[in-house]
């Protein structure tokens, strides 16, 4: 019996179980490591380098299991536009009309968009789980930083202002905006996972959302608050029929309570949201009217070439501060002009459908108020294109295998 066991091609059950355990451990550690890299790329410290490593790691992990990819046409189209942008770059350099601020600007950022579109196929959902968990951990850390009167992990003290806008914290991130953005991203990805790749072991909403609301308060990013509120309202409307009657009553009661609180404190709330500038003379909209006017004027005088496919940063107020357009669509138009930008927007629009629209709306709306997407290489872009290209027609069993890293998105 011992001899047969030694010469048998089939491993004993205990050894098979051990080998499976080792394989699962490697997969889980790999997914954890990729999740850490994705999260680290959202902090704002050498993000481009970290995300480049992230791309390499997810490619290394998923290159043998990736399925049919639905983004080939988008990838091809962006590569063609990248070639046109290089021609535009060359024209701007030769004529000396392009406004270039740093050596990094010489990298055609549509090529960075193309790289993101290519590599998101290798992301699996367990990696996104870890991203969400790390964001929640940062919220907890931010709470203790605020209690200590510190803005971020580097020990910078908060400003002396009394407004919530002045008292916001950055957590582990380079600034409070980046902290706020990842909170919004975590909410969207969490609901996406709950709906299309349910994992019973993942955090229940009763734990998740109190932490998220705390994070929104701590970061006090107005774009994030607006987009979160819009997404929550749309989520309730879309899933209304599936919601338990008790949950419906609870939501209705909470809405009534929230409405009463808002009505009773409307002046204070408006005062906080508009940074005490109720006359809209500057602080209320963070100088956006002037910024938008400047970049729209630039676009009107350079409608075909834009800034020759270079991102435009300008010292609008002549005080040494460089501003980008604070609008994803205006950023793209100003950089490339109408021709390249219009084709790019149409390519994106082609992939938006009734299944992914709900999850893309927060990104698209945030793009109106911030340069939130279409940046090139950023966590916001990675998650946006992941949702844009996710194959919702995949078999449910295939999607569930993503949870253990056995399959990647298709």
């Amino acid at each position: 019996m011992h001899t047969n066991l030694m010469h048998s091609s089939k491993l004993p059950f205990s050894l098979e179980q051990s080998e499976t355990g080792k394989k699962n451990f490697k997969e889980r550690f790999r997914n954890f490591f990729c999740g850490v890299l994705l999260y680290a790329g959202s902090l704002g410290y050498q993000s481009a380098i970290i995300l480049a490593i992230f791309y390499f790691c997810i490619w290394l992990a998923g290159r043998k299991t990736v399925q049919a990819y639905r983004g080939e046409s988008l990838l091809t189209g962006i590569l063609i536009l990248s070639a046109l942008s290089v021609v535009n770059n060359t024209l701007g350099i030769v004529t000396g009309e392009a406004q270039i601020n740093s050596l990094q600007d010489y990298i055609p950022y549509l090529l960075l968009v193309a790289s993101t579109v290519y590599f998101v196929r290798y992301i699996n959902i367990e990696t996104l789980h870890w991203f969400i968990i790390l964001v929640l951990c940062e919220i907890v850390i931010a709470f203790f930083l605020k209690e200590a009167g510190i803005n971020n992990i580097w020990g910078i003290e908060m400003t002396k202002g009394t407004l919530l806008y002045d008292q916001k914290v950055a957590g582990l991130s380079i600034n409070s905006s980046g902290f706020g953005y990842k909170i919004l991203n975590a909410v969207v990805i969490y609901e996406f996972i709950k709906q299309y790749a349910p994992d019973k072991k993942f955090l229940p909403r009763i734990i998740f959302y109190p932490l998220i609301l705390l994070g929104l308060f701590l970061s006090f990013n107005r774009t994030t608050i607006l987009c979160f509120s819009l997404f929550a309202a749309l989520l309730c409307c879309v899933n209304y029929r599936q919601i338990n009657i008790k949950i419906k009553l609870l939501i209705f009661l909470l809405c009534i309570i929230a409405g009463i609180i808002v009505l009773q404190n409307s002046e204070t709330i408006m005062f906080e949201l508009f940074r005490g500038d109720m006359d809209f003379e500057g602080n209320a909209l963070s100088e956006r009217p002037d910024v938008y006017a400047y970049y729209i004027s630039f676009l009107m005088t350079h409608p075909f070439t834009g800034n020759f496919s270079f991102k435009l940063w300008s010292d609008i107020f002549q005080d040494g501060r460089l501003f980008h357009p604070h609008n994803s669509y205006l950023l793209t138009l100003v950089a490339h002009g109408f021709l390249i930008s219009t084709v790019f927007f149409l390519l994106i629009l082609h992939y938006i459908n009734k299944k992914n629209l709900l999850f893309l709306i927060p990104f698209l709306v945030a793009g109106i108020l911030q340069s939130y997407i279409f940046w090139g290489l950023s966590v916001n872009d990675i998650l946006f294109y992941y949702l844009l290209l996710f194959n919702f027609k995949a078999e449910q069993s295939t999607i569930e295998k993503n949870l253990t890293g056995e399959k990647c998105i298709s």
Side-chain angles (χ1 to χ4, degrees), residues 158-206:
M158 293 182 184
T159 58
K160 302 300 181 182
T162 57
L163 294 171
L164 289 175
Y165 187 92
D166 299 321
Q167 294 296 311
K168 57 188 180 179
V169 294
L172 302 179
S173 306
I174 198 168
N175 55 47
S176 59
S177 294
F179 181 36
Y181 297 164
K182 76 184 71 175
I183 292 171
L184 177 62
N185 292 341
V187 171
V188 176
I189 295 299
Y190 176 86
E191 288 300 336
F192 165 78
I193 292 172
K194 283 287 187 181
Q195 185 160 341
Y196 287 101
D199 178 12
K200 295 179 181 179
K201 295 181 181 179
F202 201 44
L203 286 172
R205 290 184 174 92
I206 197 169

Side-chain angles (χ1 to χ4, degrees), residues 212-279:
I212 289 298
L213 292 174
L214 175 63
L216 291 172
F217 173 76
L218 294 172
S219 63
F220 202 75
N221 182 277
R222 293 173 295 176
T223 297
T224 300
I225 293 171
L226 172 64
C227 293
F228 169 81
S229 302
L230 175 63
F231 180 64
L234 291 173
L235 200 63
C236 289
C237 291
V238 170
N239 296 316
Y240 179 77
R241 293 183 179 179
Q242 301 174 14
I243 299 174
N244 182 285
I245 185 64
K246 294 181 180 179
I247 301 298
K248 287 179 182 178
L249 291 173
L250 178 61
I251 292 173
F252 181 70
L253 180 62
L254 290 174
C255 286
I256 291 176
I257 295 172
I260 292 171
I261 293 173
V262 169
L263 288 174
Q264 289 182 340
N265 300 275
S266 57
E267 290 186 8
T268 302
I269 292 171
M270 295 299 289
F271 189 81
E272 291 286 352
L273 288 175
F274 292 109
R275 300 174 61 184
D277 180 18
M278 302 308 291
D279 296 324

